[in-house]
């Protein structure tokens, strides 16, 4: 089961490192940061880089939640497992985990890749690839020239807007070494 851990924005990688050192691997199967590919438009070209999908959050896959919670107290960084309904902590729901996995589309680096889109003359998206394909009806904002769309979904107990990078069919892209910043700002 996945759990979301809230930590200090900008300290996610440090928190992951510490969790991997402090918590026994048989309790914490995986600890990761969800990222997304995004595009910078520079001198008429497109450069792909990665950003945090949820700044301030780290995700873990644990087999024994109680033991994990007890060991997490040893982590010196500010961490808090998300919980609700008076519970100390609660796993990411099955629906939310399935949604996140669909966005990741099997990516081993936990990165939401760019969706290729086809647009008409008015800038309307007429077709798209994964992972946006299943969420085109949830787009609340699109900036085709800047190569992103924003979808609105229910996630972690509230409505959130999630920015997803796109590429227009025929774009020439190059990869940047910059990563894990947040060019467009935080999710709402």
């Amino acid at each position: 089961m996945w759990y979301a851990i809230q930590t200090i924005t900008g300290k996610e990688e440090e928190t992951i490192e510490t969790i991997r050192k402090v918590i026994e691997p048989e309790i914490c199967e995986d600890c990761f940061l969800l990222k997304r590919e995004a595009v910078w438009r520079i001198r008429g070209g497109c450069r792909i880089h990665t950003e945090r999908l949820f700044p301030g959050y780290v995700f873990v896959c644990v087999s024994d939640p109680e033991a994990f919670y007890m060991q997490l107290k040893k982590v010196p960084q500010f961490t808090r497992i998300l919980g609700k309904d008076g519970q100390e902590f609660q796993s990411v729901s099955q629906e939310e985990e399935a949604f996140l996995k669909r966005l990741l589309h099997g990516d081993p680096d936990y990165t939401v890749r760019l969706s290729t889109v086809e647009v008409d003359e008015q800038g309307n998206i007429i077709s798209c690839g994964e992972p946006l394909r299943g969420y085109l009806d949830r787009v609340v904002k699109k900036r085709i020239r800047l190569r992103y769309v924003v979808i609105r979904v229910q996630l972690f107990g509230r409505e959130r807007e999630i920015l997803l990078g796109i590429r227009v069919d025929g774009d020439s892209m190059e990869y940047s070494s910059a990563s894990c910043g947040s060019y467009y700002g935080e999710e709402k």
Side-chain angles (χ1 to χ4, degrees):
M1 295 191 340
W2 283 15
Y3 289 82
I5 299 174
Q6 189 173 20
T7 189
I8 298 169
T9 301
K11 301 283 186 182
E12 296 91 348
E13 289 88 356
E14 186 179 320
T15 301
I16 289 171
E17 239 177 75
T18 305
I19 287 172
R20 287 180 177 159
K21 285 179 189 173
V22 171
I23 297 180
E24 299 167 16
E26 50 277 350
I27 293 173
C28 183
E29 298 165 10
D30 201 1
C31 183
F32 52 94
L33 174 66
L34 295 180
K35 299 169 284 195
R36 68 170 163 246
E37 285 186 334
V39 177
W40 283 328
R41 296 286 303 225
I42 300 173
R43 287 178 240 139
C46 296
R47 183 166 292 161
I48 301 171
H49 66 283
T50 58
E51 300 176 344
R52 294 174 193 93
L53 185 59
F54 301 109
Y57 292 91
V58 167
F59 293 82
V60 293
C61 182
V62 299
S63 56
D64 184 347
E66 296 292 330
F68 174 77
Y69 180 70
M70 297 309 289
Q71 288 190 11
L72 186 65
K73 292 179 179 185
K74 299 177 194 173
V75 176
Q77 286 86 353
F78 172 75
T79 56
R80 183 172 69 90
I81 297 179
L82 297 188
K84 57 184 170 185
D85 300 327
Q87 293 182 334
E88 190 75 41
F89 62 97
Q90 187 169 341
S91 66
V92 172
S93 74
Q94 289 180 342
E95 295 82 20
E96 292 169 336
E97 184 176 333
F99 164 74
L100 293 170
K101 286 180 176 179
R102 278 192 306 273
L103 282 184
L104 293 169
H105 201 59
D107 189 86
D109 297 323
Y110 298 101
T111 302
V112 178
R113 303 295 174 181
L114 298 177
S115 296
T116 301
V117 300
E118 185 180 344
V119 295
D120 63 17
E121 295 80 28
Q122 291 80 32
N124 298 313
I125 299 173
I126 54 176
S127 69
C128 63
E130 296 295 339
L132 180 59
R133 178 177 291 147
Y135 306 100
L136 198 52
D137 62 333
R138 296 182 187 197
V139 171
V140 294
K141 182 179 187 179
K142 63 181 189 275
R143 296 291 184 265
I144 303 300
R145 191 181 72 73
L146 296 176
R147 303 300 191 256
Y148 74 89
V149 297
V150 176
I151 62 171
R152 185 174 292 142
V153 294
Q154 190 71 26
L155 192 63
F156 311 138
R158 66 182 175 105
E159 196 169 81
R160 293 183 183 262
E161 291 185 354
I162 301 173
L163 186 142
L164 300 175
I166 59 171
R167 67 184 304 151
V168 175
D169 199 18
D171 273 348
S172 172
M173 301 272 183
E174 68 179 71
Y175 283 86
S176 172
S177 59
S179 66
C180 283
S182 188
Y183 182 74
Y184 298 107
E186 317 302 40
E187 86 281 355
K188 295 180 181 174

